[in-house]
Amino acid sequence: AQKITQTQPGMFVQEKEAVTLDCTYDTSDPSYGLFWYKQPSSGEMIFLIYQGSYDQQNATEGRYSLNFQKARKSANLVISASQLGDSAMYFCAMREGHNNDMRFGAGTRLTVKP
Amino acid sequence: DAGVTQSPTHLIKTRGQQVTLRCSPKSGHDTVSWYQQALGQGPQFIFQYYEEEERQRGNFPDRFSGHQFPNYSSELNVNALLLGDSALYLCASSLKVAVEQETQYFGPGTRLLVL
């Protein structure tokens, strides 16, 4: 069963604007972690941000923030002040507390326009 | 501080051959996970090694095997290669903590093409 869903195959954003990349997840485990990774065309997966299921506040890392809505099982990534270098594939992933297997979504290709 | 390194970067093999991919974890990390990423898809978990043992395995056949060495580096072996094994193989390292908090850091990957 698909545990991570990213419904936006591609997104466009104007440079310097903010963009939200959607991610919904499915789990019955009360303990889990949510992760976002960036994958440029070079292939390397770059860790961006982590949110734990018990965290009370939304995670932030520089221009990245995670809009965590636990009841809706969503963990959207917000990128503020987009830069041309933000153009890449973005993957949402989840680790359940009992599981070493990190599940990834299908990804969203973000293109930043000058 | 060296990140995760993988070798080789690219590899071309023919059907039926065997391949070995190598990974050195980020300094201070003790756990290595391997993923297969087919073109246009998200990574799929192959297996994870910790304390030189396979701790968990994804839905991959026995043709995929691995090893972790005392220095925490790891190898992924694939026997009897099929065309469908063509993919980007990613290694990720982490420090074993509470599972859901364990952040994995990825290497640049090995692109395998099976002809």
Side-chain angles (χ1 to χ4, degrees):
Chain A
Q2 182 64 273
K3 295 216 171 192
I4 295 287
T5 303
Q6 295 181 253
T7 58
Q8 306 154 314
M11 288 283 287
F12 291 88
V13 65
Q14 207 66 34
E15 193 179 8
K16 300 181 184 177
E17 293 186 349
V19 62
T20 298
L21 306 183
D22 294 342
C23 173
T24 58
Y25 59 93
D26 182 30
T27 181
S28 57
D29 195 323
S31 181
Y32 53 90
L34 297 159
F35 303 82
W36 276 92
Y37 287 87
K38 171 185 177 181
Q39 187 176 41
S41 55
S42 61
E44 184 173 353
M45 299 283 282
I46 301 167
F47 167 70
L48 297 178
I49 196 166
Y50 161 82
Q51 179 84 45
S53 59
Y54 295 119
D55 292 344
Q56 295 297 314
Q57 294 187 328
N58 288 342
T60 61
E61 289 287 349
R63 295 186 300 111
Y64 304 108
S65 61
L66 203 152
N67 184 1
F68 181 45
Q69 299 188 40
K70 196 169 182 177
R72 294 185 177 184
K73 293 189 175 178
S74 74
N76 299 338
L77 176 70
V78 180
I79 305 175
S80 62
S82 295
Q83 303 172 356
L84 295 178
D86 293 336
S87 293
M89 284 292 291
Y90 287 81
F91 290 95
C92 179
M94 177 177 68
R95 294 278 295 281
E96 294 168 313
H98 68 282
N99 208 336
N100 289 310
D101 174 1
M102 187 151 66
R103 303 288 185 94
F104 285 81
T108 295
R109 180 171 297 281
L110 177 66
T111 302
V112 180
K113 295 182 172 181
Chain B
D1 181 20
V4 181
T5 60
Q6 290 186 244
S7 63
T9 55
H10 295 80
L11 206 50
I12 299 175
K13 292 286 187 177
T14 56
R15 280 180 299 173
Q17 285 190 313
Q18 178 263 344
V19 68
T20 297
L21 310 182
R22 296 176 176 82
C23 172
S24 291
K26 183 178 168 68
S27 178
H29 285 181
D30 57 7
T31 302
V32 173
S33 303
W34 286 93
Y35 293 82
Q36 180 195 67
Q37 186 178 20
L39 198 61
Q41 297 181 19
Q44 298 289 317
F45 175 78
I46 303 175
F47 41 54
Q48 183 182 86
Y49 277 84
Y50 171 63
E51 292 185 332
E52 301 180 49
E53 290 186 10
E54 182 183 295
R55 295 295 173 169
Q56 187 164 344
R57 188 179 187 90
N59 189 25
F60 280 81
D62 292 344
R63 297 187 297 109
F64 289 77
S65 63
H67 188 79
Q68 185 180 34
F69 299 94
N71 67 353
Y72 308 118
S73 66
S74 176
E75 287 182 350
L76 164 65
N77 301 292
V78 187
N79 295 322
L81 285 167
L82 303 174
L83 297 180
D85 295 332
S86 296
L88 177 67
Y89 288 84
L90 294 164
C91 167
S93 76
S94 54
L95 182 62
K96 182 60 69 180
V97 292
V99 170
E100 68 278 9
Q101 299 175 12
E102 193 176 307
T103 298
Q104 296 184 351
Y105 293 86
F106 285 79
T110 294
R111 292 188 186 274
L112 172 65
L113 178 61
V114 182
L115 301 176

